[in-house]
Amino acid sequence: TDLTNPSYSYLRQADAAGTVRDYTLEARCGDTWKTVWSEKGNYQRRRLCEIAESGVSAVRITVEATWGSPSARILEVRVYEREN
């Protein structure tokens, strides 16, 4: 979205129509899904979310709202295991 630059703040809503605004990230630990990240008012294209849970076998993202687009599209999700 290129909206992380403060000088573009007046463009946020108009130019970010297809950007995911509100979402929840869940992690499956065993047979249970647990919410590990929730965000409201996002306007950035790239987000980094750190999951502190151990034994995660899957992640699930639920998009709750965009900045105006009737549909949401997530183009890429990357998950890495952190080495201690």
Side-chain angles (χ1 to χ4, degrees):
T1 59
D2 197 28
L3 299 177
T4 56
N5 184 337
S7 65
Y8 293 131
S9 62
Y10 67 95
L11 297 173
R12 284 187 180 161
Q13 192 164 353
D15 287 354
T19 303
V20 173
R21 185 182 75 194
D22 304 337
Y23 65 94
T24 302
L25 174 64
E26 297 172 281
R28 185 172 65 197
C29 303
D31 293 331
T32 305
W33 286 97
K34 180 177 181 179
T35 299
V36 294
W37 187 273
S38 183
E39 185 153 353
K40 305 283 185 205
N42 173 61
Y43 60 89
Q44 297 180 36
R45 184 179 305 181
R46 180 175 182 249
R47 300 298 295 141
L48 299 175
C49 308
E50 188 169 325
I51 300 172
E53 302 298 316
S54 60
V56 174
S57 60
V59 295
R60 174 170 63 190
I61 302 170
T62 303
V63 175
E64 298 160 359
T66 67
W67 284 102
S69 179
S71 62
R73 291 183 179 89
I74 297 174
L75 301 178
E76 182 176 5
V77 175
R78 294 182 187 189
V79 179
Y80 300 97
E81 184 175 0
R82 175 177 272 190
E83 294 182 25
N84 291 334

